[in-house]
Amino acid sequence: MSKKTFTAQDIEDYITEYRATGGKPTGRFEGPTRLLLHSGHDADGRPHIVPLSYFADADKDHCVVLAINDGLDEDPQWLRHLRAHPEVTAEIGSDTVRLTATEIHGEERDAIYARHAERFPILLEFQSATTRVIPVVALAPTGSA
């Protein structure tokens, strides 16, 4: 489980399908609830957009994303961008919203990860495949983009 699951073309195809269906991809792209995170720019100046599964938290006004990076030992690029610039935008369904990212640590992080791993056991496999603690990030809305 230590290699990337999706190619750049897979991600590009997913983004196209996501936008064409108002955030409800079908066929091979059907699956968990996802958003398109705009987390900054790549080295070549192109916008960095990444589809991420997210989990709504009914008790809070934010959702959470997990920086899994397919169980690799380095954090994903989007997380490095968020740490440098926590004010981001995301496409959620057919809406574009502004969000503030906050990394969650300690017992709160552990509880959130465990809760989602109960529903999606593959999260335990991703955690065991890496030496790092997989970060959990809260994304709180700050308005429409």
mmCIF file of all heavy atoms in Angstrom, residues 30-53:
data_model
loop_
_atom_site.group_PDB
_atom_site.id
_atom_site.type_symbol
_atom_site.label_atom_id
_atom_site.label_comp_id
_atom_site.label_asym_id
_atom_site.label_seq_id
_atom_site.Cartn_x
_atom_site.Cartn_y
_atom_site.Cartn_z
ATOM 1 N N GLU A 30 -17.903 7.033 -8.708
ATOM 2 C CA GLU A 30 -18.914 7.062 -7.660
ATOM 3 C C GLU A 30 -18.283 6.577 -6.356
ATOM 4 O O GLU A 30 -17.435 5.709 -6.344
ATOM 5 C CB GLU A 30 -20.069 6.148 -8.048
ATOM 6 C CG GLU A 30 -21.289 6.293 -7.190
ATOM 7 C CD GLU A 30 -22.468 5.529 -7.769
ATOM 8 O OE1 GLU A 30 -22.283 4.724 -8.690
ATOM 9 O OE2 GLU A 30 -23.576 5.763 -7.275
ATOM 10 N N GLY A 31 -18.706 7.171 -5.241
ATOM 11 C CA GLY A 31 -18.143 6.723 -3.973
ATOM 12 C C GLY A 31 -18.420 7.701 -2.858
ATOM 13 O O GLY A 31 -19.491 8.307 -2.810
ATOM 14 N N PRO A 32 -17.437 7.869 -1.982
ATOM 15 C CA PRO A 32 -17.652 8.700 -0.800
ATOM 16 C C PRO A 32 -17.878 10.169 -1.157
ATOM 17 O O PRO A 32 -17.596 10.607 -2.274
ATOM 18 C CB PRO A 32 -16.365 8.526 0.001
ATOM 19 C CG PRO A 32 -15.366 7.971 -0.935
ATOM 20 C CD PRO A 32 -16.104 7.301 -2.043
ATOM 21 N N THR A 33 -18.368 10.908 -0.200
ATOM 22 C CA THR A 33 -18.597 12.340 -0.384
ATOM 23 C C THR A 33 -17.253 13.036 -0.537
ATOM 24 O O THR A 33 -16.366 12.883 0.296
ATOM 25 C CB THR A 33 -19.345 12.916 0.833
ATOM 26 O OG1 THR A 33 -20.512 12.139 1.049
ATOM 27 C CG2 THR A 33 -19.727 14.355 0.606
ATOM 28 N N ARG A 34 -17.123 13.795 -1.607
ATOM 29 C CA ARG A 34 -15.844 14.465 -1.865
ATOM 30 C C ARG A 34 -16.048 15.945 -2.151
ATOM 31 O O ARG A 34 -17.121 16.380 -2.533
ATOM 32 C CB ARG A 34 -15.143 13.814 -3.056
ATOM 33 C CG ARG A 34 -14.650 12.414 -2.733
ATOM 34 C CD ARG A 34 -13.538 11.987 -3.676
ATOM 35 N NE ARG A 34 -12.988 10.734 -3.242
ATOM 36 C CZ ARG A 34 -13.235 9.568 -3.823
ATOM 37 N NH1 ARG A 34 -14.028 9.506 -4.866
ATOM 38 N NH2 ARG A 34 -12.677 8.465 -3.369
ATOM 39 N N LEU A 35 -14.971 16.657 -1.968
ATOM 40 C CA LEU A 35 -14.896 18.061 -2.355
ATOM 41 C C LEU A 35 -13.659 18.240 -3.213
ATOM 42 O O LEU A 35 -12.798 17.358 -3.253
ATOM 43 C CB LEU A 35 -14.876 18.969 -1.124
ATOM 44 C CG LEU A 35 -13.802 18.741 -0.054
ATOM 45 C CD1 LEU A 35 -12.443 19.305 -0.439
ATOM 46 C CD2 LEU A 35 -14.259 19.362 1.253
ATOM 47 N N LEU A 36 -13.592 19.357 -3.916
ATOM 48 C CA LEU A 36 -12.395 19.703 -4.685
ATOM 49 C C LEU A 36 -11.704 20.845 -3.950
ATOM 50 O O LEU A 36 -12.204 21.967 -3.923
ATOM 51 C CB LEU A 36 -12.754 20.130 -6.107
ATOM 52 C CG LEU A 36 -13.468 19.106 -6.979
ATOM 53 C CD1 LEU A 36 -13.749 19.691 -8.361
ATOM 54 C CD2 LEU A 36 -12.670 17.815 -7.086
ATOM 55 N N LEU A 37 -10.583 20.541 -3.337
ATOM 56 C CA LEU A 37 -9.846 21.533 -2.559
ATOM 57 C C LEU A 37 -8.877 22.286 -3.457
ATOM 58 O O LEU A 37 -8.069 21.678 -4.151
ATOM 59 C CB LEU A 37 -9.076 20.840 -1.432
ATOM 60 C CG LEU A 37 -8.287 21.772 -0.514
ATOM 61 C CD1 LEU A 37 -9.245 22.582 0.356
ATOM 62 C CD2 LEU A 37 -7.326 20.965 0.345
ATOM 63 N N HIS A 38 -8.981 23.602 -3.437
ATOM 64 C CA HIS A 38 -8.037 24.486 -4.126
ATOM 65 C C HIS A 38 -7.054 24.949 -3.054
ATOM 66 O O HIS A 38 -7.365 25.834 -2.263
ATOM 67 C CB HIS A 38 -8.754 25.699 -4.722
ATOM 68 C CG HIS A 38 -9.778 25.353 -5.754
ATOM 69 N ND1 HIS A 38 -9.682 25.794 -7.041
ATOM 70 C CD2 HIS A 38 -10.913 24.605 -5.688
ATOM 71 C CE1 HIS A 38 -10.727 25.344 -7.729
ATOM 72 N NE2 HIS A 38 -11.483 24.620 -6.921
ATOM 73 N N SER A 39 -5.877 24.326 -3.024
ATOM 74 C CA SER A 39 -4.972 24.560 -1.893
ATOM 75 C C SER A 39 -3.768 25.429 -2.211
ATOM 76 O O SER A 39 -2.858 25.516 -1.403
ATOM 77 C CB SER A 39 -4.494 23.216 -1.334
ATOM 78 O OG SER A 39 -3.701 22.546 -2.276
ATOM 79 N N GLY A 40 -3.735 26.046 -3.344
ATOM 80 C CA GLY A 40 -2.584 26.881 -3.689
ATOM 81 C C GLY A 40 -2.169 26.627 -5.124
ATOM 82 O O GLY A 40 -2.987 26.251 -5.956
ATOM 83 N N HIS A 41 -0.886 26.823 -5.382
ATOM 84 C CA HIS A 41 -0.367 26.643 -6.737
ATOM 85 C C HIS A 41 0.833 25.711 -6.718
ATOM 86 O O HIS A 41 1.618 25.700 -5.768
ATOM 87 C CB HIS A 41 0.030 27.993 -7.341
ATOM 88 C CG HIS A 41 -1.158 28.834 -7.662
ATOM 89 N ND1 HIS A 41 -1.804 29.597 -6.720
ATOM 90 C CD2 HIS A 41 -1.841 29.010 -8.811
ATOM 91 C CE1 HIS A 41 -2.831 30.221 -7.284
ATOM 92 N NE2 HIS A 41 -2.875 29.874 -8.552
ATOM 93 N N ASP A 42 0.954 24.929 -7.783
ATOM 94 C CA ASP A 42 2.098 24.047 -7.944
ATOM 95 C C ASP A 42 3.311 24.873 -8.358
ATOM 96 O O ASP A 42 3.201 26.058 -8.668
ATOM 97 C CB ASP A 42 1.800 22.986 -9.009
ATOM 98 C CG ASP A 42 0.746 21.988 -8.549
ATOM 99 O OD1 ASP A 42 0.647 21.731 -7.333
ATOM 100 O OD2 ASP A 42 0.021 21.462 -9.418
ATOM 101 N N ALA A 43 4.461 24.231 -8.386
ATOM 102 C CA ALA A 43 5.707 24.920 -8.744
ATOM 103 C C ALA A 43 5.632 25.563 -10.120
ATOM 104 O O ALA A 43 6.260 26.590 -10.360
ATOM 105 C CB ALA A 43 6.876 23.943 -8.678
ATOM 106 N N ASP A 44 4.827 24.985 -11.028
ATOM 107 C CA ASP A 44 4.712 25.535 -12.373
ATOM 108 C C ASP A 44 3.689 26.663 -12.458
ATOM 109 O O ASP A 44 3.406 27.179 -13.541
ATOM 110 C CB ASP A 44 4.379 24.436 -13.388
ATOM 111 C CG ASP A 44 3.030 23.766 -13.129
ATOM 112 O OD1 ASP A 44 2.293 24.194 -12.217
ATOM 113 O OD2 ASP A 44 2.720 22.803 -13.849
ATOM 114 N N GLY A 45 3.092 27.040 -11.306
ATOM 115 C CA GLY A 45 2.140 28.150 -11.281
ATOM 116 C C GLY A 45 0.695 27.741 -11.496
ATOM 117 O O GLY A 45 -0.212 28.554 -11.367
ATOM 118 N N ARG A 46 0.469 26.463 -11.824
ATOM 119 C CA ARG A 46 -0.906 26.006 -12.035
ATOM 120 C C ARG A 46 -1.603 25.821 -10.692
ATOM 121 O O ARG A 46 -0.974 25.421 -9.709
ATOM 122 C CB ARG A 46 -0.933 24.684 -12.801
ATOM 123 C CG ARG A 46 -0.436 24.823 -14.217
ATOM 124 C CD ARG A 46 -0.491 23.554 -15.011
ATOM 125 N NE ARG A 46 -0.639 22.342 -14.202
ATOM 126 C CZ ARG A 46 -1.109 21.203 -14.646
ATOM 127 N NH1 ARG A 46 -1.479 21.100 -15.904
ATOM 128 N NH2 ARG A 46 -1.188 20.151 -13.878
ATOM 129 N N PRO A 47 -2.910 26.094 -10.634
ATOM 130 C CA PRO A 47 -3.644 25.871 -9.386
ATOM 131 C C PRO A 47 -3.569 24.399 -8.964
ATOM 132 O O PRO A 47 -3.633 23.510 -9.818
ATOM 133 C CB PRO A 47 -5.086 26.247 -9.727
ATOM 134 C CG PRO A 47 -4.998 27.063 -10.966
ATOM 135 C CD PRO A 47 -3.761 26.614 -11.697
ATOM 136 N N HIS A 48 -3.395 24.177 -7.683
ATOM 137 C CA HIS A 48 -3.366 22.811 -7.155
ATOM 138 C C HIS A 48 -4.770 22.484 -6.661
ATOM 139 O O HIS A 48 -5.247 23.054 -5.685
ATOM 140 C CB HIS A 48 -2.355 22.691 -6.009
ATOM 141 C CG HIS A 48 -2.176 21.291 -5.534
ATOM 142 N ND1 HIS A 48 -1.373 20.389 -6.193
ATOM 143 C CD2 HIS A 48 -2.714 20.616 -4.500
ATOM 144 C CE1 HIS A 48 -1.416 19.227 -5.563
ATOM 145 N NE2 HIS A 48 -2.233 19.335 -4.525
ATOM 146 N N ILE A 49 -5.446 21.587 -7.371
ATOM 147 C CA ILE A 49 -6.814 21.177 -7.036
ATOM 148 C C ILE A 49 -6.786 19.679 -6.797
ATOM 149 O O ILE A 49 -6.285 18.926 -7.636
ATOM 150 C CB ILE A 49 -7.799 21.521 -8.171
ATOM 151 C CG1 ILE A 49 -7.772 23.022 -8.458
ATOM 152 C CG2 ILE A 49 -9.202 21.055 -7.811
ATOM 153 C CD1 ILE A 49 -8.521 23.426 -9.706
ATOM 154 N N VAL A 50 -7.314 19.268 -5.660
ATOM 155 C CA VAL A 50 -7.284 17.853 -5.318
ATOM 156 C C VAL A 50 -8.652 17.415 -4.798
ATOM 157 O O VAL A 50 -9.261 18.099 -3.988
ATOM 158 C CB VAL A 50 -6.171 17.554 -4.288
ATOM 159 C CG1 VAL A 50 -6.365 18.295 -2.997
ATOM 160 C CG2 VAL A 50 -6.037 16.082 -4.035
ATOM 161 N N PRO A 51 -9.167 16.284 -5.317
ATOM 162 C CA PRO A 51 -10.401 15.737 -4.761
ATOM 163 C C PRO A 51 -10.091 15.042 -3.437
ATOM 164 O O PRO A 51 -9.135 14.270 -3.346
ATOM 165 C CB PRO A 51 -10.871 14.725 -5.806
ATOM 166 C CG PRO A 51 -9.769 14.558 -6.786
ATOM 167 C CD PRO A 51 -8.709 15.550 -6.495
ATOM 168 N N LEU A 52 -10.877 15.339 -2.421
ATOM 169 C CA LEU A 52 -10.689 14.731 -1.106
ATOM 170 C C LEU A 52 -12.014 14.239 -0.566
ATOM 171 O O LEU A 52 -13.029 14.939 -0.663
ATOM 172 C CB LEU A 52 -10.125 15.754 -0.106
ATOM 173 C CG LEU A 52 -8.734 16.296 -0.354
ATOM 174 C CD1 LEU A 52 -8.422 17.392 0.653
ATOM 175 C CD2 LEU A 52 -7.709 15.186 -0.275
ATOM 176 N N SER A 53 -11.999 13.064 0.036
ATOM 177 C CA SER A 53 -13.160 12.619 0.795
ATOM 178 C C SER A 53 -13.238 13.495 2.032
ATOM 179 O O SER A 53 -12.212 13.847 2.617
ATOM 180 C CB SER A 53 -12.993 11.161 1.215
ATOM 181 O OG SER A 53 -12.937 10.330 0.092
#
